[in-house]
Each structure stands twice: as C-alpha cells, then as structure tokens.
Amino acid sequence: TDSRSASLTTAQLSLLVLVIQNSTLVLMMRCSRVRKSPDQMYIASTAVFLAEILKIIACLIVLLIQKRTLKRFINVIQKDIFEQPTEIIKMIIPSALYALQNNLLYVALSNLEAATFQVTYQLKILSTAIFSVLMLGRSLSRGKWFALVLLMVGVTLVQLQTVNHHITASSASDIDIDKNNNQTINLKNHNDEDPTSSTITVTSKSSTATATHILMAAQNPLIGLIAVITSCISSGFAGCYFEKVLKSSDTSMWVRNIQLGFSGSTFSVLAMILYDGKEIFNDGFFQGYNSLTFAVVGNQALGGLLVAMVVKYADNILKGFATSVSIIVSGIISFYFLNFQPSSQFTIVSISADRDTRLILADIEAT
Ligand code: C5P
C-alpha cells in the first residue's frame, strides 16, 4: 500500500541519517574527552543533561508544528502528558537506563581507546536480538542468528584497523616523529600560550602504538570495559522496552519521547548533582565547554531522536545493523579523505553487510 511504501521510505531515511550521526558521534565524543587536561575538562553529566533537555525542546517544537495552533498543542500536552501519569511512570524504566547508559558512555570513552570501545560496543547487536526475542516475541531463523554473529565478528575485525586509523589521524597534531623515529607527544598543548603544556619523548620505532598507549596511560581500561558491557545490556533492554511501548499504542513518538524525557531529565539532574554537584557549584555548569562540547551535545540529542524514529519505522535489530554500517561508512570516508587503505577483510565485510541490510529491508517490506 501507499502508507507502507511511505513508511519504508521514512525507515530508510531515518536509518541513513542514523548511520551518518553514529559515524561522527563516537569520534567527536572521544576527541572532546581526550584532548584536554583534566582541569579544563567539561563535566560529562552536564552534557548528558543538556542533551536530554534539547531533545524535549525538539519534540515540543515538532508537536507544535504538527498541531498547527497553540491551542491544539496545549491540549495535547495536557491530555497526553500531564493527565497521563501512569504513562510517564511506564517510561521510568527505560529513561533510568538511558540516563545511566548515556553517562556510562562518557566513562567508557574516557577510559578506553576508541577502537576497543567500538569493538566491545558491538555486543549491543547481540543483546538487542536476545531481548527482541524475549520481550517482543520475535523469532529469528538460525540463518539470521548466524548473520548477526557474523556481522558482529566482521565489524569487530574492521574496527580494529579503521578506528585506529582515525585515532592516528585525529591525534596527528599531538604526535611528532623525528628522523630517528623518536615520538614527541604534546599531551596538553592545544593553546600555544599555555605554559602548562608538556611533551614526552619516546624512543620507539613502532609508529603509533606507543604514542596511543601513552595518551591512554592515565585511563582505567577495566572500568571502561565494565561501563561498555553494562551499556550494551542496558541498550538492548531499554530499546526493546521502548519499541514495545511505542508499537502497542497510538500515542505519537514525539509524545512518547517527551514522556521519556521527563523522567530522563530528572534522572540526569540527580546524577549530575550527586556526582558533580560540588564541582558545578564551585566552577559553574559550563566549565570546560567549547564548541566541540556543544556539537557533541547536539549530536547526542539528534541521535536519541533518530533512535526513536528508527525503532518506530523499523525495529531495534535493524538499528543495530545501521550502526554497524556506520562503521563501514566511516571506513569509506577515511578511504577518500584520510588516505586509508582498506584490507580485503574490510571489503568482504562491507559487501556482506550491504547484502544483509538489503535482505533485512526486504524482510520488513514483506511483513
Ligand atoms: O545505543 P543505543 O541505541 O541504545 O542508544 C540509545 C540512545 O538514544 C540513548 O542516548 C538514549 O538516550 C537515546 N534515546 C532517546 N529516545 C528514545 C530512545 C533512545 O533519546 N526514544
């Protein structure tokens, strides 16, 4: 039918934008966390909170545009949100998980290399599939399970080189290699007049491994790993929970997101006050912010809305595929713009991911 083909287009479009958004978020977030000294660092919990508020504002604006008049808009807000406390209570579970997960993402990216993070984060694909079966009654054929695991493994292989390449590219200005292959790493220096900037010289012939290692020295990989695994479980569960709520009633996605945002912002305020209250009180909410921080916040808010759209028009499993494809897209971008040489593994995985995605798209069309 017409509506089916229209919603398929929306599904594809939202997936495409999710792919682009996802390809940039991890790198931007990681850049925003490692390129500063701790005393100039922005407070992650404030960024999570801001993204939450931004999402609510965006949903309100969309609702206002959809309803056309202020009167009808206020009517919807009153009837669907203020007069539906049980619906808001229903959203407490996923919003608490998302608040936790959004904060853990910063913990993970502050403690793990982007490559390690991306690899471990792929477990999300599997946890999502498991929760889709348990909570949404989906059944996946053995072939599809195999495809999921294969994609996960494949993406992991690609990641190991793609993201390393990004790290090299993004921190190239921090690493100078002289003619004897000694590496000089400018740890803090992004401001030429900054007297606290320091350099370390490493005598090593291996190009970037040592440099990367030293840049990561102050971090705790175990904490990063626990954070990322917890995020995967939370992501799978919360995603399927939201999908179930969204697809079991007529309430619009925008209203659902505002309901989610209400408890979500409450949780993020609590996290912010509990963990960083003192620091915020002393040095201000926006301490350490720069334009990149605002870009990360905007990107994260956009990502949240896209996730909701993808879950509505497609489903969580497909969302997992989109995020894996985004890794391949960033590989292709690096190929054209950053001189990245793809290996045969990369090419094989790209082709098979393309095929899997088409199979799954054909599958939604059929259902
Ligand atoms: O990685 P994952 O897909 O679980 O990420 C979900 C992200 O999307 C979280 O940052 C969460 O806050 C956001 N989200 C949202 N609104 C929804 C669903 C998810 O903002 N309805």
Side-chain angles (χ1 to χ4, degrees):
T1 63
D2 276 348
S3 76
R4 177 177 294 162
S5 62
S7 73
L8 190 71
T9 315
T10 319
Q12 287 169 334
L13 192 72
S14 52
L15 279 164
L16 185 75
V17 183
L18 184 69
V19 167
I20 297 168
Q21 183 269 340
N22 243 277
S23 316
T24 53
L25 182 64
V26 167
L27 293 169
M28 276 169 66
M29 210 187 239
R30 173 79 188 154
C31 261
S32 78
R33 294 311 279 177
V34 295
R35 304 192 102 196
K36 286 172 155 192
S37 65
D39 55 320
Q40 316 173 309
M41 181 53 76
Y42 67 91
I43 301 172
S45 61
T46 62
V48 171
F49 171 69
L50 274 188
E52 206 63 51
I53 297 297
L54 201 59
K55 262 185 323 201
I56 298 180
I57 294 173
C59 292
L60 288 172
I61 292 174
V62 172
L63 266 187
L64 181 62
I65 293 172
Q66 279 182 344
K67 297 297 157 198
R68 293 217 176 85
T69 67
L70 197 63
K71 203 175 154 211
R72 277 161 59 188
F73 168 73
I74 291 172
N75 199 26
V76 168
I77 299 290
Q78 197 151 25
K79 272 177 68 188
D80 286 355
I81 297 167
F82 289 113
E83 289 171 14
Q84 302 285 346
T86 48
E87 293 305 303
I88 296 185
I89 290 170
K90 240 192 225 170
M91 297 312 238
I92 286 180
I93 294 171
S95 67
L97 286 174
Y98 280 139
L100 173 82
Q101 179 186 332
N102 291 342
N103 280 293
L104 284 179
L105 216 62
Y106 281 95
V107 175
L109 277 165
S110 308
N111 287 290
L112 291 174
E113 273 178 56
T116 319
F117 168 79
Q118 285 278 46
V119 170
T120 336
Y121 209 38
Q122 295 315 310
L123 279 175
K124 215 168 58 164
I125 300 178
L126 214 56
S127 71
T128 303
I130 293 170
F131 283 119
S132 292
V133 170
L134 295 179
M135 295 167 68
L136 300 168
R138 294 268 148 77
S139 63
L140 290 176
S141 63
R142 204 175 293 179
K144 274 197 193 139
W145 280 114
F146 184 68
L148 279 176
V149 174
L150 196 69
L151 187 72
M152 218 178 64
V153 173
V155 165
T156 304
L157 290 179
V158 170
Q159 211 111 78
L160 290 172
Q161 50 182 348
T162 313
V163 185
N164 257 328
H165 181 82
H166 278 292
I167 292 178
T168 317
S170 68
S171 49
S173 60
D174 297 331
I175 304 166
D176 303 314
I177 302 176
D178 68 17
K179 55 183 182 308
N180 300 320
N181 268 337
N182 287 336
Q183 297 175 358
T184 309
I185 305 161
N186 305 310
L187 273 183
K188 293 178 180 173
N189 190 7
H190 282 284
N191 173 359
D192 290 339
E193 282 140 37
D194 181 1
T196 60
S197 68
S198 56
T199 57
I200 292 182
T201 305
V202 191
T203 333
S204 160
K205 305 255 186 266
S206 69
S207 62
T208 56
T210 322
T212 318
H213 186 77
I214 292 210
L215 280 170
M216 307 302 148
Q219 301 163 7
N220 186 336
L222 183 65
I223 288 182
L225 209 61
I226 293 172
V228 89
I229 290 173
T230 314
S231 295
C232 287
I233 298 170
S234 154
S235 165
F237 180 82
C240 293
Y241 187 106
F242 187 74
E243 185 173 343
K244 193 165 181 159
V245 171
L246 202 61
K247 289 181 173 166
S248 63
S249 81
D250 292 336
T251 311
S252 95
M253 179 188 86
W254 308 103
V255 169
R256 285 290 179 209
N257 263 326
I258 296 170
Q259 293 170 341
L260 190 76
F262 262 29
S263 44
S265 44
T266 310
F267 281 115
S268 18
V269 160
L270 287 180
M272 196 171 79
I273 294 171
L274 225 65
Y275 287 102
D276 304 309
K278 214 164 151 193
E279 240 183 301
I280 294 171
F281 186 75
N282 288 338
D283 294 312
F285 186 95
F286 289 108
Q287 59 180 292
Y289 270 64
N290 60 16
S291 47
L292 183 60
T293 321
F294 285 106
V296 168
V297 168
N299 200 337
Q300 218 195 3
L302 175 71
L305 295 176
L306 285 169
V307 164
M309 283 185 83
V310 165
V311 165
K312 179 177 165 76
Y313 294 108
D315 63 42
N316 270 295
I317 296 182
L318 202 63
K319 175 172 75 67
F321 271 87
T323 40
S324 338
V325 169
S326 73
I327 290 150
I328 288 152
V329 168
S330 58
I332 293 168
I333 295 170
S334 348
F335 174 72
Y336 283 108
F337 297 101
L338 299 169
N339 226 2
F340 161 65
Q341 297 295 318
S343 68
S344 53
Q345 281 151 320
F346 183 87
T347 317
I348 290 167
V349 172
S350 303
I351 293 166
S352 85
D354 179 54
R355 222 188 86 233
D356 283 344
T357 308
R358 260 186 267 170
L359 276 178
I360 290 199
L361 279 176
D363 212 46
I364 336 177
E365 203 164 11
T367 49

